[in-house]
Amino acid sequence: MKIMSGNSNLPLARAIAAYLELPLTDAAVRRFADEEIFVEIHENVRGEDVFIVQPTSYPVNDNLMELLICIDALRRASAKRITAVVPYFGYARQDRKPGPRTPISAKLVANLLTEAGADRVLSVDLHAGQIQGFFDIPTDNLFAAPVMAADIQARYGDQSLMVVSPDVGGVVRARALAKRLDNAPLAIVDKRRDKPGQSEVMNIIGDVKGRACILIDDIIDSGGTLCNAAQALMDEGATSVTAYITHGVLSGAAVSRVTNSALKELVITDSIQATEDAKASDKIRILTIAPLIGEAIRRIADESSVSSLFD
Ligand code: R5P
């Protein structure tokens, strides 16, 4: 087995390799003067089971292209099996046609990965589970929930908890987390979004008064969804609001929005490499999912069960 990394999240790739007690495959991913990407693998991978770690986060298109080129290089070097480890799957939010004459870009990305030569895909908290069906190759979708639940129990386990989904679409995810927290009660923020990038909280379904609320979502991008939801929950009498979000996309002014919000704390994972701003914010804490991904990789390589990781 070999673990290779693109440039998108080297610290995560190193941590996964450390978990597996393997060195990272010696490879160089460089840019030509015009930004063309060039990949050179400096060791033999013929006949190897190779896992290439590359979340397709900002800059999404560069990181995606780098991943495709790495897969091509591995395929041409006769790797036996290539698994694209994409902890954050960019373009996942474009998983259906929101209107006429619009693309389904998540499907296009799935086609590109397959066409480049990926034999398997490993991702974490895909925006929608059905994206697995966009691939005709085996796709494992891991959940950060066990890592989050352990942290919540350790930090907030003594409080009267309420798990909250920031929108109707996230209820299944929130329910799964609530189940891990001794069946904590569930509330839903009924959010109406007028335009992309803007969110408006309408009302809260469930009684959050006197509760320590745990907001759960897959992505924080501009932070609008979360910060508005946190304010609405505090207005309804919550004692505190803490957010657990798998993918800290944190675009634009998101970090300062979070810092100035009603949130007690935002907890994200290292599926995306955090910016210096995010690391410096005393409201943002990062949990590692390297052992989770490392263990899934070990099981894929050993051909043992991945789903039992979540029993
Ligand atoms: C939407 O369906 C996602 O689950 C997130 O709620 C959304 O992407 C967050 O975006 P933002 O932080 O820009 O409100």
Side-chain angles (χ1 to χ4, degrees), residues 93 127 166-167 173 191 193 199 217-226:
R93 284 172 287 181
H127 179 61
D167 53 36
R173 184 178 294 112
K191 175 189 77 173
R193 197 190 281 271
S199 69
D217 209 348
D218 58 332
I219 295 171
I220 173 167
D221 190 349
S222 68
T225 304
L226 214 61

Side-chain angles (χ1 to χ4, degrees), residues 61-295:
N61 301 325
D62 283 1
N63 284 330
L64 173 61
M65 197 63 201
E66 201 176 283
L67 174 60
L68 295 170
I69 292 174
C70 286
I71 293 170
D72 187 72
L74 288 166
R75 182 170 58 131
R76 291 175 197 284
S78 304
K80 181 180 72 191
R81 183 171 68 169
I82 303 163
T83 301
V85 181
V86 193
Y88 169 69
F89 187 87
Y91 283 102
R93 284 172 287 181
Q94 297 186 46
D95 59 353
R96 61 188 175 282
K97 284 183 72 166
R101 297 172 297 283
T102 54
I104 305 181
S105 307
K107 171 62 179 154
L108 171 64
V109 173
N111 289 348
L112 289 170
L113 286 170
T114 311
E115 198 54 41
D119 298 297
R120 305 184 60 95
V121 172
L122 176 61
S123 192
V124 182
D125 282 328
L126 280 169
H127 179 61
Q130 59 269 26
I131 292 172
Q132 285 178 97
F134 290 0
F135 291 93
D136 283 328
I137 51 177
T139 303
D140 291 294
N141 181 25
L142 308 181
F143 306 107
V147 178
M148 292 176 173
D151 191 79
I152 295 165
Q153 291 285 20
R155 302 228 171 200
Y156 301 101
D158 57 343
Q159 299 183 30
S160 173
L161 295 178
M162 175 79 104
V163 175
V164 184
S165 171
D167 53 36
V168 176
V171 173
V172 173
R173 184 178 294 112
R175 200 184 293 129
L177 181 72
K179 209 168 145 197
R180 288 179 186 274
L181 297 172
D182 305 324
N183 281 317
L186 195 67
I188 302 165
V189 179
D190 177 25
K191 175 189 77 173
R192 307 280 155 97
R193 197 190 281 271
D194 292 338
K195 285 195 234 159
Q198 276 185 13
S199 69
E200 196 189 346
V201 174
M202 297 300 286
N203 59 69
I204 314 267
I205 304 167
D207 184 7
V208 298
K209 200 159 193 276
R211 299 277 190 170
C213 289
I214 304 290
L215 266 168
I216 167 123
D217 209 348
D218 58 332
I219 295 171
I220 173 167
D221 190 349
S222 68
T225 304
L226 214 61
C227 296
N228 291 346
Q231 190 57 55
L233 291 165
M234 291 304 286
D235 292 347
E236 289 292 313
T239 52
S240 67
V241 183
T242 306
Y244 280 78
I245 313 290
T246 308
H247 308 297
V249 174
L250 295 170
S251 307
V255 171
S256 72
R257 195 167 288 136
V258 166
T259 307
N260 299 315
S261 73
L263 281 170
K264 178 182 166 74
E265 190 183 30
L266 164 66
V267 184
I268 53 176
T269 78
D270 54 358
S271 67
I272 294 174
Q273 188 172 359
T275 59
E276 291 309 314
D277 258 13
K279 284 191 230 163
S281 168
D282 52 11
K283 269 208 186 170
I284 301 179
R285 194 156 55 84
I286 303 169
L287 299 177
T288 185
I289 51 170
L292 177 76
I293 297 175
E295 186 54 33

